[in-house]
Amino acid sequence: MKNKKILITGAAGFIGSAFVRLIAGKYAASDIVVVDKLTYAGDLKRLEPVKGKFKFYKTDICNKKQIDRIFAQEKPDTVLHFAAESHVDRSITNPTVFIETNIKGTQILMDAARKYGVKKFIFISTDEVYGEIANGKFNEKSQIKPNSPYSASKAAADLLVQAYIRTYRFPAVIIRPSNNYGPWQYPEKLLPLAILRILGGGKIPVYGRGINVREWLYVEDCVRGVLLVLQKGKIGEAYNLGSSCESRNIDTVKLLLKTLNAAPDRFEFVKDRLGHDIRYSLDSGRIRKELGWRPRFKLVQGLKSTVDWSLKHENWLKSKLKDINKLYK
Ligand code: NAD
Ligand code: TDX
């Protein structure tokens, strides 16, 4: 199938904007339709490099009427659904908006997609839907067993997508990426927050004893995987998307300090996150074998590239400080 007209939700966010920067210019501007509410996490500055190469609607995906109107007007054949409330710590303080956007918003989009005959609907899920794993790896058939309000809301949406596939033969594909990092990430997440703290003369807060393990995927590798799924992914299937670059938080932070040429003791152990998942780890053999995807960035290179970008965009990171200090007061 040719993807002629693509509607992308959440494209003013971190990963969605990287995807638009990747495909902009490969399609006519009128064939890339961006839908984003511009919450605290959305920022059109991320799309400035490709300004004029897409069409933008400032819309809440939970607004059924507006979503319906956009689908009626644009008639996309492909939908890429990135929009979500994405931060675990915020979901612990206020789960309500996570239930609204992540679950209800996904349903509203799928209903519009069914009504207007969308041919391929790609749902960006997460590795967190499987819950934590002390040893071994999750494959696409592993049980969905989320632990945080954020991951439970993503799991509910993931299951709803699966239910639509089975019940209505809805043409969806699910992607479950691991922890992304790279340019333009909102500095509430570990790595950009850590960089912001070091640039501001402070220390990096490490939850608990820093022994939790994450699988770090450079955002450009992630969106190349998403593009492959868009072009060749099988309808009705799910694809894990992980780098195999696993690292304990304390080791990740120490490597980042080295990359920043900062003193190795510029971190502090702080109160642990409630219900903190110990380890995520994906078996991404399927997307590698079936679609030929390979990550290009190891953690060392990805961190170097992220730090270089951050030093050039210090003002952008610092523009989020007020919000961050409110979040982590
Ligand atoms: P982000 O928080 O940076 O961006 C989310 C975007 O969605 C923002 O532009 C925001 O304005 C928009 N949005 C939020 N609520 C909306 C609503 N109701 N209507 C319309 N737009 C809305 O998130 P991200 O890190 O880019 O993540 C993108 C997707 O990838 C999410 O679905 C997330 O669950 C998933 N994911 C993220 C990671 C990661 O490490 N960041 C890893 C795996 C999966
Ligand atoms: O200040 C911090 N100190 C710290 O030790 C923060 C913000 C985080 N952490 C720890 C918690 C995690 O073990 O670092 C690890 C990474 O934390 P986050 O950056 O908040 O990411 P995580 O909770 O792992 O979830 C991310 O990956 C999966 C994304 O935020 C999700 O959207 C995605 O689905």
Side-chain angles (χ1 to χ4, degrees):
M1 188 201 73
K2 285 223 175 66
N3 315 104
K4 290 201 193 90
K5 187 159 193 164
I6 310 182
L7 184 145
I8 307 165
T9 71
F14 165 51
I15 306 179
S17 66
F19 183 79
V20 173
R21 292 193 302 273
L22 178 69
I23 64 158
K26 295 185 177 126
Y27 292 84
S30 57
D31 289 341
I32 301 178
V33 180
V34 165
V35 173
D36 199 297
K37 183 183 176 182
L38 299 182
T39 65
Y40 80 91
D43 192 335
L44 286 174
K45 284 210 173 72
R46 296 186 173 106
L47 291 171
E48 257 166 26
V50 291
K51 211 173 162 184
K53 295 187 174 158
F54 59 90
K55 194 166 171 185
F56 177 68
Y57 288 92
K58 183 177 184 302
T59 305
D60 186 338
I61 55 166
C62 297
N63 187 328
K64 194 171 164 30
K65 259 197 188 144
Q66 275 186 34
I67 289 297
D68 218 75
R69 207 174 302 141
I70 295 169
F71 274 76
Q73 184 165 328
E74 298 292 345
K75 299 191 180 60
D77 51 67
T78 306
V79 172
L80 270 144
H81 178 29
F82 290 96
E85 285 293 333
S86 70
H87 192 39
V88 173
D89 290 321
R90 289 184 200 260
S91 82
I92 294 170
T93 348
N94 178 19
T96 309
V97 69
F98 285 75
I99 307 303
E100 281 293 311
T101 289
N102 298 0
I103 307 176
K104 194 173 153 199
T106 301
Q107 185 219 337
I108 287 171
L109 281 171
M110 288 199 292
D111 286 343
R114 285 181 62 214
K115 185 167 167 189
Y116 292 97
V118 162
K119 300 281 186 300
K120 198 167 194 175
F121 183 101
I122 296 175
F123 174 62
I124 310 299
S125 183
T126 169
D127 60 353
E128 297 195 20
V129 298
Y130 299 117
E132 63 185 4
I133 189 164
N135 300 298
K137 291 173 178 297
F138 291 118
N139 64 36
E140 288 84 352
K141 295 222 159 20
S142 298
Q143 196 191 347
I144 303 286
K145 204 170 168 292
N147 293 318
S148 73
Y150 161 72
S151 53
S153 70
K154 292 293 290 186
D158 189 312
L159 291 172
L160 199 58
V161 175
Q162 294 182 48
Y164 271 49
I165 292 170
R166 162 128 181 181
T167 309
Y168 307 116
R169 293 178 184 274
F170 184 63
V173 189
I174 297 169
I175 307 179
R176 302 191 183 119
S178 65
N179 277 65
N180 273 236
Y181 68 107
W184 297 110
Q185 187 166 31
Y186 196 84
E188 62 190 352
K189 309 280 165 50
L190 175 64
L191 290 172
L193 174 73
I195 295 172
L196 187 60
R197 290 300 183 227
I198 294 303
L199 292 176
K203 287 188 169 185
I204 302 172
V206 177
Y207 294 165
R209 303 306 295 167
I211 56 167
N212 307 68
V213 174
R214 294 294 181 265
E215 184 176 349
W216 293 101
L217 175 63
Y218 193 63
V219 67
E220 286 174 16
D221 282 331
C222 178
V223 295
R224 277 192 308 101
V226 172
L227 182 59
L228 276 177
V229 172
L230 170 75
Q231 294 164 334
K232 304 196 281 185
K234 247 170 87 188
I235 300 283
E237 298 292 338
Y239 295 89
N240 285 346
L241 184 54
S243 62
S244 297
C245 298
E246 283 185 38
S247 173
R248 294 189 314 166
N249 291 339
I250 187 66
D251 299 326
T252 310
V253 161
K254 285 183 179 166
L255 184 59
L256 177 70
L257 285 168
K258 202 170 150 199
T259 313
L260 281 159
N261 286 320
D265 62 352
R266 296 259 316 262
F267 68 86
E268 57 187 349
F269 291 119
V270 299
K271 196 169 165 281
D272 209 351
R273 173 184 280 172
L274 296 177
H276 198 171
D277 281 337
I278 191 69
R279 176 173 171 262
Y280 303 135
S281 182
L282 292 177
D283 172 350
S284 303
R286 169 175 229 170
I287 193 164
R288 284 172 179 253
K289 280 184 217 113
E290 293 179 17
L291 307 187
W293 177 82
R294 294 272 178 290
R296 291 180 185 154
F297 287 80
K298 292 255 181 341
L299 189 54
V300 176
Q301 303 148 332
L303 283 182
K304 170 91 180 62
S305 178
T306 305
V307 165
D308 287 349
W309 180 90
S310 302
L311 296 177
K312 287 192 196 110
H313 295 79
E314 205 175 323
N315 288 342
W316 182 78
L317 285 171
K318 287 187 172 163
S319 74
K320 311 295 182 191
L321 248 182
K322 220 169 125 190
D323 178 53
I324 292 307
N325 289 338
K326 209 164 64 192
L327 174 68
Y328 293 120
K329 62 182 177 290

